[in-house]
Amino acid sequence: AKPTGRYLHKDHQLWAPLTLADFEAINRCERSLPKNFNFAGDVLDQWSQKEKTGERPDNPALWWVNGKGAEVKWSFEELGSLSRKAANVLIKPCGLKRGDRVAVILPRIPEWWLINVACMRTGLVFMPGTTQLTAKDILYRLRASKAKCVVVSEEVVPAVESIMSECPDLKTKLLVSPHSQNGWLSFQELFQSASEEHSCVETGSQEPVAIYFTSGTTGAPKMAQHSQSSLGIGYTLCGRYWLDLKSSDIIWNMSDTGWIKAAIGSVFSSWLQGACVFVHRMAQFDTDTFLDTLTTYPITTLCSAPTVYRMLVQKDLKRYKFKKLRHCLTGGEPLNPEVLEQWKAQTGLELYEGYGQTEVGIICANQKGQEIKPGSMGKGVQPYDVQIIDENGNVLPPGKEGEIALRLQTTRPFCFFSEYVDNPEKTAATIRGNFYVTGDRGVMDSDGFFWFVGRADDVIISSGYRIGPFEVESALIEHPAVVESAVVSSPDPIRGEVVKAFVVLSAPFKSSNPEKLTLELQDHVKKSTAPYKYPRKVEFVPELPKTITGKIKRNVLRDHEWGRT
Ligand code: BCO
């Protein structure tokens, strides 16, 4: 008879729950993937069992605060029963079926975690988006993904209302709010009456679990699809060795719910290790509130973008006594060695940088116990074989600059994204010979440490955001003042790099006040697309540098910004 548990290995003929050791072995390629895997059933429910048997410390699974006195603490058992209720909301009143795509645009509220886990339990494909998305961004996402359901908080309702007539596949609109709205199902109301009885779907290991929209040089964002195992098993080593988590730890990962970093630090890596995920819903990022949080709560592990640490080291950090902080991490953009040194000098704590991508997760990291070379993003992490390659896919020797790439094994590594949905050309373009190419340029030194140089394409990495120039140029051209524009990165002491727009003005606007027009264009971009992409610098120019075939030479403008010849 089949006991409660999962088919572990086709050769072993075993029925047993998968353990962390199994997940590690899979990541080390010592064991093959199980046929079926579901993070909710195989990881979260296992931790719930361990809570009951006293094998896990008395530590919440999710600890949420809002800074205004509200607090939520859920054990794994509570997370289990509440997410089963949420699963019943998604399948019954919402009428969703396994494989349906659900766009979830929620701020950092506990329901984001519930709906995320509920999607896993029901085999729905979770598509998170930042609440900074505008109506135009949401329209693109809903249409491109053919999403069946959108789940939003109150502030996103007007944007969805304004475009939903153009989304024929959208069947259900679910609102997470204490107030109900005409035409929207109320999550809170349905949740109250939903049953706690739900059997987790036996999803295949390679079955889609989530889609992330990622920006490139050209075109609209691509849909990077991940599988149950790529996220659910692929982050085991990251949680143990980079985040250095144990089930007694409390991790505060600052990332917005829309990014893969939220999946890494606030869901998969952390919960694989049974750690507590801490969340502070700040209305707006603020360094004082941030530091107060570290002094008030027993947070052991902090993960935040380098921009945040750059902001924090401006303060007198010696004034603050962090309650339990012992391990600090950063990623999403390059960290300057000065910031690492200032953070260490002021807090006594090292800063462990990780480098990765939405598509393939963590690629390089400074791991606990290893030497840190300030300015380097550490060594390649298992299971990846990270190399620097040239334009023909040849491995370059230490010290030579080239593209950062991951060697493909005989099969595509299971922790890779599965594909860019409906975009086989772009999926194929990530492969060069026997390598997956990241689009980032770097150098490996003779000790195997990797050093980031910059993007190989025109993508801008600002404050940890990956911003496609085309998306900003498309927003600018909608304004009557803009004849054409070129958007490139420009250095910034706090944000690493920022978006800079070179704009050629139309005749009626040529004599406009430049400061006023800059503000108007910035405001226009913030309304047209997610505000984090707005050009923080604008320069009006008579013409743009172009090739003889008329293509704008962004590289000339970028090199000029960075003082390169
Ligand atoms: O700075 P400004 O005030 O001029 O502009 C800000 C906002 O005020 C503005 N804005 C936001 N909502 C708006 C709005 N303006 C008009 N209407 C609205 N509805 O837009 C700008 C947004 O910039 P921001 O998001 O950078 O804001 P802020 O407050 O400066 O936050 C700083 C950070 C550091 C907290 C923030 O930039 C951040 O969270 N960055 C990290 C991003 C991240 O998590 N990246 C990881 C991606 S995943 C990855 O890299 C893979 C790794 C494996």
Side-chain angles (χ1 to χ4, degrees):
K2 177 186 168 192
T4 51
R6 312 231 134 217
Y7 184 44
L8 180 59
H9 193 291
K10 67 179 176 357
D11 306 325
H12 293 187
Q13 296 295 311
L14 282 175
W15 290 102
L18 292 161
T19 63
L20 261 176
D22 294 323
F23 298 143
E24 288 207 10
I26 293 166
N27 275 278
R28 295 204 164 95
C29 307
E30 293 158 7
R31 174 165 286 183
S32 57
L33 272 183
K35 184 166 161 277
N36 292 328
F37 174 75
N38 185 294
F39 187 79
D42 289 317
V43 175
L44 302 179
D45 293 350
Q46 294 300 323
W47 280 112
S48 175
Q49 279 302 116
K50 286 189 181 148
E51 267 172 7
K52 286 188 195 136
T53 53
E55 291 168 80
R56 181 180 180 269
D58 185 15
N59 202 14
L62 184 81
W63 186 353
W64 175 93
V65 297
N66 71 352
K68 295 180 197 147
E71 185 171 68
V72 165
K73 278 184 183 177
W74 290 331
S75 62
F76 278 102
E77 189 180 357
E78 286 164 317
L79 180 68
S81 57
L82 298 173
S83 61
R84 281 183 204 100
K85 275 169 83 94
N88 283 325
V89 171
L90 295 177
I91 52 173
K92 285 175 186 158
C94 294
L96 296 167
K97 293 192 181 58
R98 182 170 174 175
D100 284 348
R101 294 174 184 155
V102 183
V104 181
I105 309 169
L106 292 175
R108 296 173 182 91
I109 53 174
E111 288 82 355
W112 184 83
W113 279 264
L114 280 191
I115 291 167
N116 193 343
V117 177
C119 284
M120 296 173 200
R121 291 193 183 282
T122 46
L124 296 168
V125 184
F126 185 75
M127 297 193 306
T130 166
T131 51
Q132 285 196 33
L133 295 178
T134 62
K136 197 173 123 198
D137 299 324
I138 298 171
L139 174 64
Y140 167 72
R141 280 164 165 74
L142 296 181
R143 285 181 68 97
S145 65
K146 301 186 178 65
K148 289 279 186 313
C149 174
V150 63
V151 187
V152 304
S153 51
E154 245 166 331
E155 65 266 40
V156 188
V157 167
V160 175
E161 295 274 6
S162 70
I163 50 89
M164 65 194 207
S165 61
E166 297 168 67
C167 303
D169 297 292
L170 188 66
K171 300 283 176 267
T172 311
K173 301 188 315 280
L174 189 60
L175 174 66
V176 182
S177 158
H179 314 110
S180 50
Q181 290 251 2
N182 252 347
W184 288 77
L185 292 177
S186 160
F187 178 76
Q188 267 84 349
E189 275 172 28
L190 298 168
F191 185 76
Q192 286 300 322
S193 53
S195 158
E196 280 182 21
E197 297 299 315
H198 181 268
S199 300
C200 188
V201 171
E202 288 249 340
T203 44
S205 295
Q206 312 272 19
E207 201 169 316
V209 74
I211 291 176
Y212 286 86
F213 285 79
T214 69
S215 295
T217 296
T218 55
K222 306 178 290 290
M223 294 188 280
Q225 179 167 280
H226 274 281
S227 68
Q228 286 277 351
S229 57
S230 66
L231 295 183
I233 301 179
Y235 284 112
T236 313
L237 301 178
C238 163
R240 174 147 178 210
Y241 296 104
W242 182 47
L243 301 177
D244 189 38
L245 290 172
K246 288 172 282 305
S247 56
S248 53
D249 279 310
I250 300 179
I251 175 166
W252 185 20
N253 169 58
M254 264 281 299
S255 183
D256 182 272
T257 53
W259 315 117
I260 193 100
K261 215 150 149 277
I264 300 174
S266 302
V267 181
F268 295 102
S269 293
S270 311
W271 281 344
L272 269 159
Q273 302 298 330
C276 167
V277 169
F278 180 87
V279 187
H280 186 157
R281 187 192 177 187
M282 281 185 252
Q284 191 151 20
F285 175 75
D286 164 62
T287 45
D288 291 328
T289 315
F290 190 95
L291 291 165
D292 286 343
T293 307
L294 291 174
T295 57
T296 310
Y297 296 95
I299 293 158
T300 58
T301 312
L302 173 68
C303 187
S304 211
T307 295
V308 170
Y309 289 101
R310 282 186 214 109
M311 292 172 174
L312 294 177
V313 295
Q314 313 289 315
K315 313 279 291 184
D316 178 11
L317 294 176
K318 291 203 173 111
R319 277 183 38 229
Y320 295 86
K321 181 146 179 30
F322 302 149
K323 207 158 185 177
K324 282 273 174 74
L325 192 63
R326 64 167 187 86
H327 190 44
C328 303
L329 305 125
T330 194
E333 50 166 323
L335 172 74
N336 352 33
E338 303 77 27
V339 174
L340 182 144
E341 273 148 18
Q342 286 166 25
W343 179 258
K344 189 171 176 186
Q346 293 214 51
T347 64
L349 294 163
E350 291 283 4
L351 200 38
Y352 292 84
E353 184 178 355
Y355 155 76
Q357 286 193 336
T358 302
E359 288 83 343
V360 293
I362 300 298
I363 297 169
C364 294
N366 285 300
Q367 311 214 43
K368 198 81 188 253
Q370 288 178 352
E371 179 198 358
I372 294 181
K373 290 192 184 182
S376 150
M377 51 200 191
K379 293 185 175 180
V381 299
Q382 278 189 316
Y384 292 138
D385 175 4
V386 190
Q387 298 289 343
I388 301 293
I389 63 165
D390 69 11
E391 58 282 7
N392 300 316
N394 301 311
V395 175
L396 291 172
K400 282 263 180 227
E401 184 188 315
E403 216 167 313
I404 304 170
L406 305 176
R407 197 192 297 273
L408 301 170
Q409 297 136 11
T410 40
T411 54
R412 194 177 167 86
F414 80 92
C415 29
F416 269 34
F417 74 123
S418 332
E419 59 170 347
Y420 294 125
V421 177
D422 297 334
N423 205 334
E425 297 81 20
K426 288 257 162 91
T427 309
T430 60
I431 306 300
R432 187 181 304 157
N434 196 28
F435 287 92
Y436 166 86
V437 280
T438 58
D440 293 323
R441 293 186 69 76
V443 177
M444 186 184 76
D445 68 18
S446 51
D447 298 325
F449 284 80
F450 285 84
W451 302 74
F452 188 84
V453 172
R455 285 290 301 174
D457 56 19
D458 294 336
V459 168
I460 301 157
I461 300 178
S462 174
S463 316
Y465 295 118
R466 180 163 145 175
I467 300 169
F470 175 79
E471 294 169 60
V472 186
E473 290 162 7
S474 303
L476 283 167
I477 198 80
E478 292 164 356
H479 193 282
V482 179
V483 172
E484 59 180 353
S485 71
V487 165
V488 299
S489 70
S490 178
D492 182 83
I494 296 292
R495 290 173 190 270
E497 49 191 72
V498 290
V499 174
K500 174 159 182 181
F502 290 86
V503 175
V504 178
L505 288 175
S506 61
F509 287 85
K510 281 204 165 121
S511 53
S512 303
N513 173 311
E515 281 83 34
K516 239 176 111 199
L517 191 53
T518 295
L519 290 175
E520 193 176 319
L521 291 177
Q522 290 174 327
D523 200 41
H524 167 78
V525 174
K526 285 184 186 178
K527 288 197 177 101
S528 171
T529 188
Y532 68 83
K533 297 179 207 165
Y534 87 89
R536 287 173 187 271
K537 296 183 186 173
V538 177
E539 187 174 330
F540 300 110
V541 289
E543 58 183 4
L544 296 171
K546 291 186 179 165
T547 61
I548 41 168
T549 56
K551 210 169 158 246
I552 294 170
K553 294 202 239 172
R554 288 198 195 100
N555 58 326
V556 170
L557 297 167
R558 187 173 52 234
D559 287 351
H560 181 259
E561 283 307 297
W562 289 85
R564 295 190 287 247
T565 47

